[in-house]
Each structure stands twice: as structure tokens, then as C-alpha cells.
Amino acid sequence: MKKLVALIMALCMMASLCSFASAEATYNMPELNTTDPITITFMTWDDFELTRALADKFTEKYPNITIEIIETTTADVTGTLTNLAADNNMPDVFFWLDLDPLLANHLMMDITTYIENDEEAQTKLYPSLRNVGYVDGKRCFFMPGENLPAIIYLDKAVFDKLNVELPAQDWTWEQMLELIETMTDPSQGIWAYNYFMGPVTLGPIALTDNVTGEFGWDGESYNFGSGWVDMMEKQSEYARLGYQAIAGSEEYLAVVPDDMWPGESGHVAIQMDAYWTMNNIYTQTAALERGLQMVPYNAPIGEGVENGGQFSWLDMVSISKDCQHPREAYEVAKFLTWGKEGWLARAELYPTITRDVTNAETGDVTQEKIYRLPGSLPMIEDEEVAAAMAAIMPDLGYWNDWENFFNAIQNPVTFGGRTIPGFNTFITDFYHGSDYAGYTGIEAAINAGAIDPFDYTDKLDEAGRKYYDDAMAVFFSVYGEAE
Amino acid sequence: MASKKNKRNPHDKRRLTKRRLKEWLCGYMFILPWIVGVCIFFVYAMVQSLRFSFSNIIFSNGITFNTLTNPWDNYAAVFMKEINFPVTLANFGLGLTLQLPIIIAFSLIIALLLNSKIRARSLFRMIFFLPVIIATGPVMQQLTAQGVSSVPMVSQNTLLSILQGLPEFIYQPINDLFSSLILILWNSGIQILIFLAGLQKVPSTLYEAAKIDGASGWESFWKITLPIMKPMILLNSVYTVVTLATGGDNEIIQLIYDVSYAATKGYSYGAAMSWIYTAVVALILLLVFLLLREKSDKHVKYETKRPDLKERRQDA
């Protein structure tokens, strides 16, 4: 009997092992047309020269597919898209900024088949980006297109002046707050921090478990009780206690008479800003000559927070509902945005690509390098891409730890308006637009000390969810229910 | 009919003489580009916008018009659901009430100064008109970003402390006014030009006569200049209201843009809101017209009346 039981158990184990083996993901990506001539229109606001060069690299690989680039700007993109849709002339692949008009006007194609059968998408995309395009949790309508993370710049020169050591690249949110609370030194004309996107925006993402959007959004509801209340109070307190450098204030003008932007003044220890500031300001001669030594850090995540996020300006990309060659369009979108091959091509192009610059006086045309740093950052976990990118990052002289920087910056979460239906209306109407104790907008009321943010968390959660439900009702009425 | 035509008085001003036809054609030729532009880019868009506002449209495979159960639904929704609209509209009205007199008074004062006999008058005129050209582009955005829109001597913080006790709906427009005072005055170039054109048409004989009668400059301004400039004040007020109502930094325009792209509202809703806003602006314009209209054209008649042949012969 014992033998029989042992035999049955052994058989069961074998069977379960077999079932595990067979449960391994299989990918049945539809075949790509590599013979018929196909033209894919691609609308972007990214640098034309880079996009053109990438498109040419794609056509080298697939000679039958030509990419036609339609240029737009971030300011015009939503209007341009609706105009093109009204003219029945949508681009096959397009970048966009606001999710709501795309939902309401049925502009995006359901790309679930492609994304779920793409091994690279399922295994290499940063975990926080794998499900980003699933509007109703079942169907995917968009992919990440460009990753421009929030960066916390720590001025090494200021840290040295105050004899404070720079933290490790895998620092935590609590460490950052501790630095903000201890680094102001009025006797030396130093403020602890200044921000472009402050703790109120970054905090709720960094301090909420399994976050997927702003204000602690987890895919179903907002969590204003998690992070937002504390960060509203902290942000307000930091300004009141003088930790924040406030341009134009009497205290600031006494130290910086020309009222220069605090982040560039050399009097701020921590500047909460964006990736592009490195390219636009901190690697420029003017900033370096002033002695700025800005070390880039990821937006930190709270201690003990599971799958907390790091705020990033993520731009999204979709395939038009009317696209005649969706499989090929998907390949184009992937190559020109997050795909590994595209990123290896970018690593080659970023250091070398130039732009024609015409001298206004002489009319001479010269070639000018476009990038000191890559224009955006990768969205996939891949050693080859990481190595190629680390190799092209400049040695700043005072700092060169790009490898650890890349390792620490792999959980981007973006603006609510890009991923949460109804978010923009909620923010415009309710968060910034409603009356709170005589003030328009809740932040204005809190900053004036008129209300306690804690009293409003439930109301905000409820209102946010209602705006989401209303927008989803529109989405279902336009796109129908998932089968 | 032919005999009736022959019986017409040859001095009848309504008669279409060859010369009048030529003048008529010439006038219309001058405004033809404007008429064509309005028909192509304005009238069509307005009609389309009106159609949008009475339906529920979707931009997919072209424009899909979905009929509403009640065609006025979008208009009703704007009044019933749009919590920000009345507030933003009231702020606009309050801001306009504060800005309009400042712009008109400033333009008139500058025009009076530029009309006086000073050296390098043309240079000063150019300087005051230059911002109109500069303001139409990225230069203005850069200047605004660098803080040129506020008066440097007036610290925002000082203003804040003075006005702190006031309710937000009063404090906010005053604060906005001071923070963009330079910008408002900067945008007075066209108004100055119109006033200047008006001032140059005031006959100097009137001032001379007034002077002989013992009138001071102050009295001359109130009794001669201002009454003659009244039609120009109306024209400038209309121009200023329209400029402020359609400016890029206007909050209502931004709100209309936002609702047009909101999932739960959309283009039709935005179009309805635009038409309500248009009606409100039209009402404001009507109010401005009623307040500033010229009840009698006596001053204008004096200037525009063409001396008849008999008078000219007598003069000769």
C-alpha cells in the first residue's frame, strides 16, 4: 500500500512538473509582412533628425516598410490628432499626451494581441510599464513611448560645503526628507531644496504599495490617505520654515540679487527636477563655470513600500483604429519607442547625430551635435542596452556612477492624465477647481492653513473614483465591453 | 419704370453715379481680403461650431454627428454641471471691469502726449507701437517668463499682505491686475494709434476759439477733446473687450479647451460653452455700446461734412 501511495505521489509530482513546463508562456506573434511595400505614418514631437535616422535603421532591417514622419509639438498634439481624425486621416502610429480625448473619440486600436504575444514586451519592459496600456484591465490600447524620469539633483559642491556626504544611489524617500529638513544654512546662504515637481506629486507615488498612477492610484482607486496628506503638510511646512528657496522673496534676493532660478543659483542643495534639465542646464558651460556639481538621483521610494513608483514624464504611443497594417505599425512603434533594437540604434545615434545649423549672417551651414546626453532613457531591463547606454553617458568629472543610476531608476509611473481615465477632469473640476473654505483649489486652501488635508482624503478618493467611473462609462460606450 | 428713372433728382445722393460706383467698388476692394478671410475661416467654422453644440459628435472616421434627445442638452449641461464656468466667467467680468478703464485711460493719456509738439515725436510713436509687434510671438512668452509682466516696484508679497483681508474673489483679480500691469499697458499700442488718429482730426481752430474765450487746457480737454474722442473711446473699448475676451491667457478659453478634450464632455459640450461665452461677450459689448454711444453725431458731422460746391466757390 505504501509503495502504491509513493508511486501515485511520484506520478503526481511528475505530472505537476510536466504541467509547470507546459504552463511556460508561449508567444504566437502574427507574422510580419516582409514582402509587400507598406508605408506607415508616424506622428511624433521628438527630434526629427533622430526619428528620421531611427526610421531609416528600421527600413534597413525591413526594406519593404517605409516610415513617413509627421511632425507635431506637445502643445498641438491633441488638437492635431482630433483634426486629423475629423478629416479621416489619422496617422498609423502616434504619440499623445491626454488619454481622455482618445477614449471619447475611438482613436486607438486594441493592441492586446500584439503586446501579449511579444516576448520582449512581456519579459523586458520595466514591470511598471507592462500593463500600463490596459485601460479596462483586459484590453491594451497603448505602450510607453518616451521615458523622461523625474530626477533629484544633489549639488555636490553644496554638500561638500556643508560637510555632508552624498547618499547612495538607492536612497529612500525618508532619507531625502531628512536631507531637506537638515540642509538649510542661512549663514552660508544655502537652502535645502527647490522643486519643479514637488513632494506632493512625487510622494504619493513613492509611498503607496503597488502604485500605478498619481495620488496613489492602484488601478482601481486613489489613495489620498497614503502619502498625499503628509506630503501636502511637508511641502507647505518646508516653504514656511524657509527650507525652500523661493525666487523673488526678500530672503532669496538678499543672497541672489539677480533673482536667478534657484536650481541654477548654486545656493540650493537639492533640486527636484526633470531628466532634461541635465541636458539643458547642468551640463552647460554656464552652470559648470558657476561651480554647480549636480549629481542625478532617482526619485526615491519609501522604506518598506512594495512596488512603489518613481515619477516620470512618460509619453505614450498608440496605433490608430483605422490603421491598415497594424502588425507592421506595432513593429514600427516598438522600434521607435521602447524596443531593444531601437535602443541599441539610439545608443549609436545619440553621440553622433547632428543637425544643420545655418549662420544667419554668412548663410554658412554647419553641423551641430544635438545631444550632450541621450534625449530620453530606456524602458526595458536589458544588459546589452544598459551597457550601451552607460558607455555613452558623459563622465561629469565630479561624478560618474551611471550604472548604479540606471539600476535604481526602473519603476517609472507617470501623470494621471496619461493613464487614468477621467483624471484630468477630476483635477481641473474638483481638485484645483472646487471651492474649499473660500479658496479655489484644495492646495491653495491647505497652503493658506484654511483646511486640514486629512479631513478631505475620503472625499477626494470618492470624487476621483466617480470621475474615473464616468470616463469609463464613455469608454465602454465607444469601445464596447471586452469579449 | 424707365420714365421714373428719368424723373430722378440729379442731386439725389442715393443715385448711383459712375463716380459713386467707382468709390463703392474701391471701398469694397479694400475690404475684400477681409470678407474672403471671414467667409472661409470664420463663418464656416462658426456654423460648424453651432452644429456641434446641438449634437454629440465623435471624431472617428471623420466627424460622426449623434443626435441628442433634446438639442439644448449641451447648453443645459453647461449651466447645470459646469461648476467652474460661472466662477471663471465672473472672474473674467471682474478682471475686464478693472482692466478696461485702465487700458483706455492709459492709451488716451499716451496719445495726448504723443500728439503734443515734442521732439522725436515719430520715434516715441514707434516705441509705443513696437510692443504690439513684439507681443505677437515667442518673444512675449520669454519676457513674461522673465517677469516683465509685473511692476518691479510693487512686490507681490507686499501686495499680498495689503489685500490679505479681502475675500479671494476680490483679491484675485486685483492681484492678477498688478501682476500683469505691464503686460496690459504693453498691449495698448493699437488703442494709442486709434486715439492718435482721432486727436489729429480735431480742428485746432476749436482750441484757439476756446483759448480766446479764456478756457484752460484742462477745460479744453473736458469740453472739446473728450466729447470729440467719444466715438474713438467706444471703438477702443470694443476692441479691448474683444482682445481680452479672446486672448491666449484667458481662463475661459483654457476651460473651453479643457472640456473639449474631457472624456465625459467633449467637443459638442465645448462648442456649447463657446456659444454661451460668445453671448456673454456680446452682451458686454452691447453694454459698452449703450454706455459710450454717441447720442448725437454733431462733433463728427462737423469734421466729416463735405463743403458743397457753393461754399467752395465762395471760399475761392
Side-chain angles (χ1 to χ4, degrees), chain A residues 75 78-79 82-83 85-86 88 100-101 104-107 249 321-322 425 428-429 433-434 438-440 470-471 474 478, chain B residues 57-63 81-84 87 155 157-158 168-169 255 257-267:
Chain A
T78 310
T82 44
N83 284 345
N88 206 4
D100 283 0
N105 290 298
H106 203 174
L107 302 183
S249 65
K321 171 186 73 78
D322 304 320
T425 319
T428 314
D429 282 5
S434 289
Y439 289 85
T440 308
D470 291 347
V474 174
V478 173
Chain B
I57 59 153
I58 288 180
F59 294 129
S60 186
N61 301 325
I63 304 171
K81 292 179 191 169
E82 198 57 47
I83 47 172
N84 288 338
V87 179
S155 160
N157 294 336
T158 316
E168 203 208 359
F169 76 96
L255 182 66
Y257 183 88
D258 288 343
V259 301
S260 298
Y261 294 128
T264 47
K265 296 169 183 175
Y267 246 71

Side-chain angles (χ1 to χ4, degrees), chain A residues 376-387:
Chain A
S376 62
L377 293 181
M379 290 161 269
I380 52 169
E381 297 169 301
D382 184 89
E383 284 179 11
E384 212 179 329
V385 169

Side-chain angles (χ1 to χ4, degrees), chain A residues 180-181 184 191-195 199 231-247 249 251 446-448:
Chain A
I180 292 175
E181 286 163 16
T184 301
W191 282 271
Y193 97 122
N194 180 51
Y195 65 83
M231 288 313 115
M232 260 324 301
E233 285 175 343
K234 291 267 183 203
Q235 193 166 297
S236 189
E237 187 184 299
Y238 291 166
R240 203 171 55 246
L241 294 174
Y243 299 161
Q244 186 192 342
I246 299 172
S249 65
E251 296 81 10
I446 294 167
N447 290 335

Side-chain angles (χ1 to χ4, degrees), chain B residues 107-257:
Chain B
S107 313
L108 187 58
I109 292 165
I110 297 295
L112 284 166
L113 291 174
L114 291 175
N115 197 43
S116 57
K117 286 169 186 164
I118 49 167
R119 280 186 185 177
R121 194 163 60 167
S122 303
L123 180 75
F124 284 114
R125 285 177 184 176
M126 190 194 76
I127 289 170
F128 275 96
F129 194 69
L130 208 58
V132 177
I133 301 160
I134 295 173
T136 56
V139 179
M140 199 63 227
Q141 287 168 12
Q142 280 297 317
L143 289 171
T144 313
Q146 287 173 26
V148 295
S149 59
S150 55
V151 183
M153 291 85 76
V154 181
S155 160
Q156 291 289 99
N157 294 336
T158 316
L159 192 70
L160 193 79
S161 60
I162 295 167
L163 303 173
Q164 221 159 23
L166 296 173
E168 203 208 359
F169 76 96
I170 298 173
Y171 156 73
Q172 199 57 49
I174 299 173
N175 187 42
D176 289 349
L177 178 75
F178 275 92
S179 62
S180 58
L181 197 58
I182 294 285
L183 208 65
I184 292 164
L185 304 182
W186 196 309
N187 281 318
S188 305
I190 300 273
Q191 290 87 332
I192 293 170
L193 198 74
I194 293 170
F195 277 137
L196 206 55
L199 286 170
Q200 284 169 1
K201 289 191 110 187
V202 182
S204 56
T205 48
L206 281 179
Y207 292 111
E208 283 161 17
K211 208 173 176 182
I212 291 163
D213 288 345
S216 64
W218 183 247
E219 283 167 331
S220 296
F221 172 76
W222 286 104
K223 303 283 181 189
I224 301 169
T225 314
L226 207 60
I228 292 178
M229 294 304 287
K230 215 175 168 190
M232 300 296 172
I233 293 173
L234 173 64
L235 178 66
N236 269 338
S237 301
V238 170
Y239 176 82
T240 307
V241 169
V242 172
T243 308
L244 293 175
T246 55
D249 53 352
N250 185 309
E251 275 185 37
I252 303 176
I253 304 277
Q254 187 56 47
L255 182 66
I256 291 168
Y257 183 88

Side-chain angles (χ1 to χ4, degrees), chain A residues 12-32:
Chain A
C12 285
M13 279 178 74
M14 287 294 289
S16 64
L17 274 173
C18 289
S19 67
F20 267 114
S22 63
E24 221 174 69
T26 52
Y27 303 101
N28 299 311
M29 193 64 157
E31 281 294 307
L32 195 72

Side-chain angles (χ1 to χ4, degrees), chain A residues 48 77 91 140 208 221-222 248 262 308 358 361 366 393 395-396 424 441 464:
Chain A
F48 178 80
V77 65
C140 181
T208 310
S221 59
Y222 295 96
T358 311
E361 287 177 12
T366 50
M393 299 306 276
D395 181 353
L396 299 175
N424 283 343

